[in-house]
Amino acid sequence: MSGDLAVDVRGVSKVFQDDKGRQVQALQDVSFQVRRSEIVALTGRSGCGKTTLLRIIMGLEQPSGGSVTVDGVPVQGCGPNRGIVFQNAELLPWRTALGNVEFGLEARGLPKAERREAAERAIELVGLGNAANRRPHELSGGMRQRVGIARALAIDPAVLLMDEPFSALDAQTREKMQGELLEIHQRTGKTIIFVSHDIDESVLLADRVVTLVPDPGRLHGVLDTGFGDSTDLDERRSSAEFALRRHELLQLVHGREIQQQDGVSI
Amino acid sequence: MTALADQAAPPVDDETALSRRMRSQRRSGRDRLVTAAGVVVLLIIWEVAARQVDPILAAPPSAVFTALIGMIADGSLPVAVWESAQPFLVGYLLAIVVGVPVGLLIGRFRVVEAAIGWLVIAGYAMPMIALTPVFMLWFGLGFAVKAAMVMTMTVFAISINTWNGVQNVPRTLIEVGTAFCASQPRILTQIVIPSVIPSIMTGLRIGIGKAVVGIVIAEFFTAIGGIGGVIIDAGHSFQPDRMFAAVVVLMLAAVALTGLIGLVERRLAPWNRSIAGGAH
Ligand SMILES: Nc1ncnc2c1ncn2[C@@H]1O[C@H](COP(=O)(O)OP(=O)(O)OP(=O)(O)O)[C@@H](O)[C@H]1O
Ligand SMILES: [Mg+2]
């Protein structure tokens, strides 16, 4: 069992102090597991603690209770086994695309030549080979997001964490990036946990979808998707499974409301 | 954030807008022509008006120009400029050497902010001119008092802008450092300082204006040498042509120095210019 387990979130709670000193329970007793090479989506309404959970897994935030282990090792701050992609890419504006990808490798103290090579490989992987020397302000939003992904991939983490990686993109670019993500996943076999607001995106990309509900943020349900071996987005989208899973997820997310509607219509 | 920090947060000079305009202006040919015409018209009005007045009180541009040539030829102007430039440079460099680190420290460490943040704000808000008589007691009437005035006038503007810059370093970028396991020194050198460079340059640019006021005030009070000395002497001896000539030189020098800082900024932080300039 443990050999197959990549991320183990156990009874994680998080209490924040807001500016007025009041306690805000962002997460309450959240537990779930992610298997190696699995893609898991975190979804749920705004404010249900998705970002907080991702940040706890990354080690950017300390849980108030519970624990997270990655590859059997408890999470204590940052670590080379996890790479994160931020919602708005968060590139360093004074560095080129390649320089940004190198950042994580520098922090690791890799020799210059090795660093350069790993960064170039990562930037090729996201299809930005010919924009490597441009600064972020010379890149489009989608390209910036890809640099962010390359930066996380370059350190070769076991687990890739992504916070709404495509939400700032237009529909067409988003679709393209979703396809690329699946391709990267195929090629690298990374474990991926991504946050998404988008029901379709969650169902399309993830092997399992974890849904949270707010006030306080807690686990609501876990949905298995499963498209067999198909990694083609169009194929997935037009499959019967997609419609079914999508409906199931909607039901899960909106809970009672849909059931009542169904009840009325019957 | 403390109350002090909040006060310090907004952009820190009324001159900022002006210098930013000077920096980012990309003029079309027509704009240039209009500007040139404006200058010519002003000069003509000045010329005509000044000729109606007693030459003891005002000088037309032609006379100012003649005086300027004369002052260059007899060497008095270059000497005066050199006399001002030395304490100016020393005071300005001192202000950078002190102001930037102080601003960085106040911005980065709460303790330092609590300890001396108020001092920087007070120093910035206070008209330092009021200290000139005291400075003359402390530093005498020569080089030292001029440099000290320049330094005091400038250092707070540089500090407060640097401080402001550190506070405005995006928290998310620092988090990138944390997420990729960068050490504190690495976060400081690779993320904080590059983020702050544009703010430091703003401080330096505003500092030029302050430093020019500082040197002139010091030379007015001490009435010894330098461009300020020339202005005072010419004023006292009813030679408005010489006085205006010195004022024009002063003005040109201030504009040139501000432009120079802008040039350095563009070299040091090209990303900033293309982001800020993108709005136009
Ligand atoms: N640093 C903080 N201080 C205080 N409260 C916080 C902090 N960060 C998050 N919260 C609170 O925790 C709750 C969950 O926030 P979180 O950002 O994790 O939600 P989310 O699910 O990512 O929402 P969204 O979909 O809008 O991004 C919210 O109620 C939020 O106000
Ligand atoms: Mg969020």
Side-chain angles (χ1 to χ4, degrees), chain A residues 55 58-61 77-80 82-84 86 89-95 103-109 135 137 148 151-152 155, chain B residues 169-183 186-187 189-196 268-275:
Chain A
R55 289 168 56 84
M58 186 62 226
L60 286 173
E61 206 91 66
C78 65
R82 284 151 292 145
I84 189 163
F86 295 94
E90 307 298 354
L91 305 179
L92 306 179
W94 48 89
R95 288 190 173 218
F103 178 80
L105 300 158
E106 284 166 25
R108 189 131 317 156
R135 292 232 169 83
H137 65 84
R151 179 174 63 189
I155 61 171
Chain B
V169 175
R171 222 169 48 93
T172 51
L173 284 191
I174 295 190
E175 216 152 58
V176 169
T178 315
F180 285 90
C181 299
S183 61
R186 186 170 287 280
I187 289 178
T189 58
Q190 298 301 311
I191 297 178
V192 176
I193 289 181
S195 304
V196 178
L268 279 181
W271 70 88
N272 186 56
R273 186 167 158 259
S274 27
I275 292 167

Side-chain angles (χ1 to χ4, degrees), chain B residues 108-119:
Chain B
R108 196 82 180 116
F109 301 105
R110 242 150 209 272
V111 191
V112 184
E113 182 186 318
I116 59 171
W118 60 273
L119 189 66

